[in-house]
């Protein structure tokens, strides 16, 4: 076997292996010899056909398996001979295969970085608890009241105004429009909302001074919504079925009873608990980000170039797609390609560094996800899609690789919990205003992209 080193870095190696065809041929003959007793060839008793005839019939079917076996063996020999410690499975690419010629394979190897873990007790972290003031609780309650909408049918027919809830029928004969948009009956439209089933429908209903019972045809531009330039002028027939006006919402005894509350204080307690739960989830993300920032600062080690390159290429592919779609982040739009690459290479380095470090911590502390934990995680994931649980479970059974997208976050949370349980903790109580300031500082996108 001929070995040629194509590229070498501290934690990355590329080799070109040239395997004489005689070795492949020898392994094919071994495979065929083992196969002979099990096959029947016309004109010969079972297991008695000559190897040349059996090989002629079955060589193509065993060739791929043989090559994979030989390549795997030669790769293992290379790693052993070079005394290489791999970070992940090698990337193997069959570069050339022709009968009676050497088989060439390219092997890319990411090597294990040297990481010395620090005592987790030296890590200082903050644990936050949300503590609402009476004023904040009262403000939350007022926001809830103002967010509720109450409607009643108009007594006297009039033109539609902003804030009305209008029920309409829509239809078009344009077959290029998807079926779900082509015809809709009794469609509720909140004219005070920014969300619209048809672009500009709210303004049309108001500006055209439509009333209940009116039937009108309008040209509507669906090109951006459906990403089809041909749909820039689609004629829709619109019928106004009903108009309801927005009225002041009040907490009444009837409302409380219908929603299972004994009194108004129970509603206030529920809103407060919901807010606490919501902020607690946000706090969890803040604590995680702060810990990751500290780990990124405290640890310095070489990173596998192959993984770095793959991660950056994935990010760059998304950026190029965003540029084409016009969906780049605002603070990215002013940068040229060179500046963007510099910015996102730094982000990629952080991602890879923390991923490698957490994997090392998991291995060193024997942190794994048990089958029971994984099953619970899958159930929790499926529960996020009410009514589709069975379909999701069936999909995961048929696509085991997809389960890794659930296992990964579970393992990460378990690693973070392990570190946090051993770290030096300072407990802090914060109010809503302090939370918002802390959230803004922690997730300062511009700071992270510098």
């Amino acid at each position: 076997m001929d070995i040629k080193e194509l590229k070498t870095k501290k934690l990355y190696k590329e080799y070109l292996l040239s395997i004489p065809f005689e070795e492949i041929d020898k392994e094919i003959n071994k495979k065929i010899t083992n196969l002979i007793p099990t096959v029947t060839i016309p004109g010969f008793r079972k297991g008695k056909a000559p190897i040349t005839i059996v090989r002629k019939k079955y060589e193509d079917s065993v060739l791929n398996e043989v090559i994979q076996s030989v390549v795997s063996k030669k790769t293992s020999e290379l790693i052993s001979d070079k005394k290489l410690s791999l970070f992940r499975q090698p990337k193997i690419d069959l570069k050339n295969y022709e009968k009676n010629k050497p088989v060439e394979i390219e092997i890319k190897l990411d090597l294990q970085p040297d990481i010395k873990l620090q005592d987790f007790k030296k890590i200082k972290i903050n644990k936050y608890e949300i503590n609402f003031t009476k004023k904040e609780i009262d403000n939350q309650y007022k926001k809830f009241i103002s967010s509720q909408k109450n409607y009643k049918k108009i007594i006297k027919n009039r033109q539609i105004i902003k804030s009305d809830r209008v029920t309409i029928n829509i239809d078009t004969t344009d077959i290029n429009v998807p079926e779900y948009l082509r015809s809709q009956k009794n469609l509720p439209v909140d004219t005070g909302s920014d969300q619209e089933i048809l672009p500009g429908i709210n303004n049309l209903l108001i500006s055209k001074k439509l009333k209940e019972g009116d039937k009108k045809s309008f040209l509507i531009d669906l090109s951006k919504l459906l990403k089809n330039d041909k749909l820039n002028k689609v004629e829709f027939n619109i019928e106004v079925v009903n108009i309801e006006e927005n009225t002041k919402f009040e907490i009444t005894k009837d409302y409380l009873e219908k929603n299972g509350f004994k009194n108004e204080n129970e509603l206030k307690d529920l809103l407060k608990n919901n807010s606490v739960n919501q902020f607690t989830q946000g706090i969890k993300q803040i604590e995680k980000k702060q810990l990751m920032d500290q780990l990124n600062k405290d640890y310095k080690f070489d990173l596998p170039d192959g993984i770095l390159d793959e991660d950056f290429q994935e990010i760059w592919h998304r950026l190029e797609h965003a540029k084409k779609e016009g969906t780049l982040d605002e603070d990215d739009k002013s940068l040229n390609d060179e500046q963007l690459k510099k910015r996102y290479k730094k982000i990629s380095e952080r991602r890879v560094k923390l991923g490698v470090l957490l994997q090392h911590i998991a291995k060193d502390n024997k942190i794994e996800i048990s089958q029971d934990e994984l099953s619970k995680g899958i159930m929790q994931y499926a529960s996020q899609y009410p009514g589709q649980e069975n379909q999701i479970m069936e999909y995961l059974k048929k696509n085991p690789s997809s389960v890794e997208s659930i296992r990964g976050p579970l393992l990460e949370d378990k690693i973070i919990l392990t570190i946090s349980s051993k770290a030096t903790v300072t407990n802090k109580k914060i109010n809503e205003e302090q939370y918002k300031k802390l959230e803004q500082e922690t997730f300062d996108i511009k700071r992270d992209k510098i």
Side-chain angles (χ1 to χ4, degrees):
M1 179 176 69
D2 183 42
I3 303 173
K4 182 180 180 182
E5 191 171 76
L6 300 177
K7 189 181 292 185
T8 182
K9 293 185 179 180
K10 192 166 185 179
L11 293 177
Y12 181 75
K13 306 284 184 184
E14 276 187 28
Y15 296 97
L16 183 67
L17 271 58
S18 182
I19 304 171
F21 184 79
E22 289 76 13
E23 290 192 41
I24 303 293
D25 194 58
K26 183 179 178 181
E27 291 300 318
I28 290 174
N29 280 333
K30 281 185 182 178
K31 196 75 177 173
I32 296 299
T33 300
N34 292 333
L35 193 63
I36 287 176
T38 66
V39 300
T40 301
I41 303 292
F44 299 94
R45 285 182 297 158
K46 184 178 181 179
K48 297 300 182 181
I51 188 171
T52 53
I53 294 176
V54 177
R55 175 165 177 160
K56 186 176 181 181
K57 182 174 182 180
Y58 290 99
E59 180 177 356
D60 289 344
S61 62
V62 302
L63 183 59
N64 187 54
E65 184 183 345
V66 168
I67 291 178
Q68 285 186 0
S69 176
V70 172
V71 167
S72 178
K73 179 182 176 184
K74 295 301 179 183
T75 303
S76 296
E77 288 176 0
L78 169 70
I79 294 168
S80 178
D81 291 345
K82 299 288 184 182
K83 295 181 171 59
L84 301 175
S85 177
L86 300 191
F87 177 74
R88 62 174 179 175
Q89 290 296 314
K91 301 267 184 182
I92 300 174
D93 184 17
L94 183 62
K95 304 300 290 183
N96 181 56
Y97 171 75
E98 291 183 49
K99 199 168 184 178
N100 298 320
K101 289 186 178 182
V103 174
E104 291 186 344
I105 58 170
E106 189 176 273
I107 303 176
K108 299 177 181 180
L109 304 169
D110 285 292
L111 307 183
Q112 186 74 43
D114 182 23
I115 303 175
K116 294 179 181 178
L117 294 181
Q118 303 172 10
D119 186 349
F120 293 152
K121 288 182 180 179
K122 294 180 180 179
I123 297 176
K124 296 180 180 180
I125 61 174
N126 293 323
K127 287 287 184 182
Y128 301 98
E129 180 184 349
I130 194 73
N131 186 32
F132 292 118
T133 63
K134 184 180 183 304
K135 182 179 178 181
E136 287 170 339
I137 293 172
D138 290 341
N139 284 337
Q140 288 171 5
Y141 189 64
K142 288 177 183 177
K143 285 180 182 178
F144 169 77
I145 298 295
S146 63
S147 69
Q148 300 304 299
K149 292 186 177 182
N150 196 40
Y151 295 96
K152 70 174 183 179
K153 183 171 174 53
I154 58 174
I155 299 173
K156 184 179 179 181
N157 198 7
R158 58 161 172 78
Q159 296 172 5
I160 297 169
I161 61 173
K162 192 171 184 178
S163 78
D164 282 344
R165 183 169 67 186
V166 184
T167 304
I168 61 174
N169 295 334
I170 64 171
D171 70 86
T172 178
T173 56
D174 193 326
I175 60 173
N176 295 309
V177 176
E179 190 173 344
Y180 75 93
L181 271 181
R182 207 177 301 159
S183 179
Q184 289 272 8
K185 296 288 187 181
N186 297 318
L187 185 68
V189 174
D190 182 355
T191 58
S193 171
D194 293 331
Q195 297 181 343
E196 299 177 310
I197 185 69
L198 294 175
I201 186 67
N202 290 357
N203 185 54
L204 276 174
L205 294 173
I206 297 168
S207 63
K208 298 302 180 180
K209 301 179 179 179
L210 298 185
K211 297 181 179 180
E212 185 177 306
D214 284 351
K215 297 180 181 179
K216 296 284 183 180
S217 295
F218 299 105
L219 292 178
I220 294 179
D221 185 356
L222 298 180
S223 58
K224 289 184 179 179
L225 176 68
L226 301 177
K227 296 181 179 179
N228 184 342
D229 292 338
K230 294 180 180 179
L231 298 176
N232 62 333
K233 290 182 180 179
V234 178
E235 185 176 34
F236 274 90
N237 301 312
I238 296 177
E239 177 186 2
V240 179
V241 178
N242 186 39
I243 301 174
E244 295 173 292
E245 60 185 354
N246 191 12
T247 60
K248 184 179 179 181
F249 175 79
E250 294 179 349
I251 300 294
T252 63
K253 183 179 180 182
D254 183 55
Y255 173 85
L256 292 170
E257 289 178 353
K258 281 183 178 179
N259 289 277
F261 300 108
K262 293 179 181 178
N263 50 52
E264 197 169 352
N265 286 333
E266 280 196 0
L267 172 59
K268 288 182 178 180
D269 288 341
L270 176 69
L271 294 174
K272 178 186 173 182
N273 292 334
N274 287 344
S275 293
V276 169
N277 291 335
Q278 181 182 345
F279 279 93
T280 299
Q281 290 302 313
I283 285 171
K284 183 180 177 182
Q285 295 305 313
I286 289 172
E287 292 172 347
K288 176 181 176 180
K289 176 66 163 54
Q290 289 182 344
L291 175 59
M292 291 299 187
D293 286 344
Q294 189 168 338
L295 291 174
N296 185 50
K297 181 181 177 182
D298 291 348
Y299 283 89
K300 289 178 173 55
F301 53 87
D302 294 309
L303 300 174
D305 291 270
I307 297 175
L308 266 177
D309 184 61
E310 281 181 21
D311 188 78
F312 175 73
Q313 290 304 324
E314 181 184 328
I315 292 175
W316 191 248
H317 175 74
R318 291 203 300 267
L319 282 172
E320 288 186 319
H321 180 73
K323 281 197 288 185
K324 288 179 182 177
E325 295 292 318
T327 56
L328 267 181
D329 290 347
E330 286 302 318
D331 58 314
D332 285 337
K333 289 179 179 179
S334 61
L335 303 181
N336 58 36
D337 280 0
E338 186 178 345
Q339 292 168 322
L340 277 173
K341 285 182 178 179
K342 184 178 179 181
R343 169 177 281 185
Y344 282 94
K345 277 185 177 178
K346 183 178 179 181
I347 292 174
S348 179
E349 286 173 3
R350 173 190 164 95
R351 285 187 4 153
V352 171
K353 179 181 180 179
L354 290 172
V356 170
L357 178 59
L358 291 183
Q359 186 171 329
H360 187 81
I361 291 172
K363 184 178 179 181
D364 192 74
N365 288 269
K366 298 180 173 56
I367 303 171
E368 296 178 343
I369 297 299
S370 67
Q371 188 57 49
D372 184 53
E373 289 170 328
L374 182 59
S375 297
K376 289 179 180 176
I378 290 173
M379 292 294 290
Q380 186 176 4
Y381 174 79
S383 68
Q384 297 174 22
Y385 303 89
Q388 302 178 51
E389 293 90 343
N390 291 336
Q391 294 94 314
I392 289 173
M393 296 294 284
E394 190 63 29
Y395 174 81
L396 292 174
K397 284 180 182 178
K398 293 180 179 178
N399 300 272
S401 60
S402 300
V403 176
E404 291 308 309
S405 64
I406 298 174
R407 187 196 304 272
L410 290 175
L411 181 60
E412 183 177 281
D413 286 346
K414 199 169 182 180
I415 295 168
I416 290 171
L417 184 62
T418 300
I419 298 171
S420 301
S421 66
K422 298 177 182 179
T424 301
V425 177
T426 299
N427 294 308
K428 292 186 176 183
K429 289 188 175 183
I430 56 175
N431 58 33
E432 186 175 352
E433 184 179 344
Q434 291 169 324
Y435 170 87
K436 289 177 179 177
K437 184 179 178 182
L438 181 63
E439 183 183 44
Q440 187 175 9
E441 291 173 351
T442 305
F443 297 103
D444 185 342
I445 297 175
K446 290 186 178 180
R447 184 199 68 184
D448 288 341
K449 288 183 177 180
I450 292 174

